[in-house]
Amino acid sequence: DDLTRPQETGDRYHTRVSREPAFIERVEPTVWGDPGSAGMFGAQELAAHSRDGFVQVPDLLTGDEVAFHQAELDRLANDPAVRADERCVIEKSSDEVRSIFEVHRISAAVARLVRDERVLSRARQILGSDVYLHQSRINYKPGFGGGGFYWHSDFETWHAEDGMPTPRAVSCSISLTDNHPYNGCLMIMPGSHRTFVSCVGETPADYYRTSLTEQEIGTPDPDSITAMADRHGIAMMTGRAGSATWFDSNCLHGSGDNITPYSRSNIFLVFNSVENACVEPFYAPKPRPEYIGARDVTPVR
Ligand code: 6CS
Ligand code: FE
């Protein structure tokens, strides 16, 4: 019976196997590098990341760079070959592009950004090792109805479906539009990264085909979300275009739909430590495709 598997494997972060949700305290650190490590994060920013599970970097990109990348995003979304590619996810309720995965292999501009010292040095400082890209994507969230993302922890999905052993991964979301409280910005529960919320419900086969437009399995139950929100509060990641939010893989986060006229797009890069390479999925029949969860751990240099 599958319900015995966590006990058999000794996996701490069991999920999608029990009939009851659970809170499991994290044992791993959040910042793996030492506080004074070389890179573009200062010691105070690393301390904030460790405490809150996220840190914002205003104006990581210049205005010219924002305009350049914005043009690249428009070009990709309007390219028929990209739209026809399996890596392109279309909104459920419109024919607009929601996400493009593995975008560093589609766009040379994004590939350069991954190696940019403003990005790469910070990823290394947090993870304390060489790093590789577990996932890259553009999220579009256009005005007049761009769809949100329900509350979840990325690590819950990456552990269950991609076989990521521990939460030693970090996401960098670089926004190419202004983020207001009202146009579907990212919301994070500060400090939630220290608790793993074990979810109820088994992973269906090929679940990525639906979860990328609307996730249900791997999202916490309402009582767990309420308890976490009561405990931690909810912070909104607002800021100017060109700003970046770095957030830990186990943050409880989500975002609402965007019914304003103001689109909200970002480039989303997920770095994993080379010492945390993915194995077989912990709670799913088989690994997701490589364009969603990389299996190649060649370090970014
Ligand atoms: O599937 C992923 O890797 C990411 N996307 C969703 C909708 N949930 C988990 C994670 O953030
Ligand atoms: Fe997420």
Side-chain angles (χ1 to χ4, degrees):
D1 173 39
D2 261 340
L3 294 176
T4 62
R5 203 179 154 214
Q7 285 72 40
E8 281 169 8
T9 61
D11 177 40
R12 181 172 185 81
Y13 301 115
H14 57 85
T15 185
R16 311 187 190 190
V17 281
S18 170
R19 287 173 200 90
E20 297 296 331
F23 287 173
I24 302 166
E25 286 315 297
R26 175 199 192 124
V27 290
E28 296 83 5
T30 304
V31 174
W32 292 69
D34 51 73
S37 64
M40 294 193 68
F41 271 136
Q44 291 201 339
E45 290 171 299
L46 291 172
H49 184 77
S50 180
R51 181 189 65 227
D52 299 332
F54 69 89
V55 60
Q56 291 183 284
V57 178
D59 304 320
L60 184 135
L61 297 182
T62 67
D64 286 348
E65 289 173 319
V66 169
F68 171 79
H69 285 286
Q70 188 66 69
E72 177 72 354
L73 259 62
D74 288 346
R75 184 184 71 77
L76 293 169
N78 292 307
D79 181 339
V82 173
R83 284 187 74 106
D85 196 296
E86 63 175 349
R87 293 172 290 186
C88 183
V89 177
I90 305 292
E91 288 282 3
K92 223 172 55 168
S93 57
S94 73
D95 64 350
E96 300 224 53
V97 176
R98 176 177 170 89
S99 305
I100 302 172
F101 279 84
E102 207 178 45
V103 67
H104 66 291
R105 295 218 168 124
I106 300 177
S107 163
V110 176
R112 275 198 306 278
L113 200 51
V114 173
R115 287 170 172 74
D116 191 304
E117 277 306 293
R118 292 170 291 181
V119 173
L120 184 54
S121 75
R122 288 179 164 110
R124 287 199 184 118
Q125 281 178 292
I126 289 174
L127 300 179
S129 68
D130 272 333
V131 299
Y132 72 97
L133 266 193
H134 177 69
Q135 183 184 90
S136 79
R137 69 203 289 186
I138 297 169
N139 283 336
Y140 280 88
K141 205 178 272 193
F144 299 117
F149 291 84
Y150 193 69
W151 293 107
H152 66 279
S153 146
D154 294 333
F155 174 66
E156 196 279 344
T157 292
W158 299 336
H159 185 61
E161 299 188 39
D162 300 337
M164 185 182 285
T166 66
R168 191 176 176 177
V170 66
S171 297
C172 174
S173 171
I174 303 173
S175 70
L176 297 177
T177 53
D178 292 343
N179 278 289
H180 303 284
Y182 47 73
N183 66 339
C185 73
L186 178 64
M187 299 184 281
I188 300 180
M189 296 189 193
S192 61
H193 63 300
R194 288 189 295 269
T195 305
F196 181 85
V197 184
S198 183
C199 300
V200 172
E202 242 180 81
T203 314
D206 292 331
Y207 186 49
Y208 70 94
R209 293 184 194 278
T210 44
S211 72
L212 300 179
T213 49
E214 192 174 38
Q215 187 177 7
E216 189 184 333
I217 302 299
T219 63
D221 63 288
D223 286 347
S224 297
I225 295 171
T226 304
M228 290 291 279
D230 287 350
R231 189 178 300 174
H232 298 291
I234 297 172
M236 292 201 275
M237 302 299 120
T238 55
R240 267 193 303 278
S243 304
T245 300
W246 290 83
F247 64 105
D248 180 81
S249 59
N250 190 46
C251 284
L252 198 50
H253 67 284
S255 66
D257 294 348
N258 180 15
I259 60 169
T260 75
Y262 311 114
S263 73
R264 183 239 172 211
S265 54
N266 57 61
I267 299 173
F268 197 91
L269 306 172
V270 180
F271 293 94
N272 189 23
S273 168
V274 295
E275 293 164 21
N276 193 36
C278 291
V279 295
E280 284 305 298
F282 287 83
Y283 308 103
K286 61 182 207 290
R288 298 190 296 178
E290 296 224 28
Y291 68 84
I292 303 173
R295 317 296 302 179
D296 173 1
V297 300
T298 310
V300 182
R301 288 192 199 281

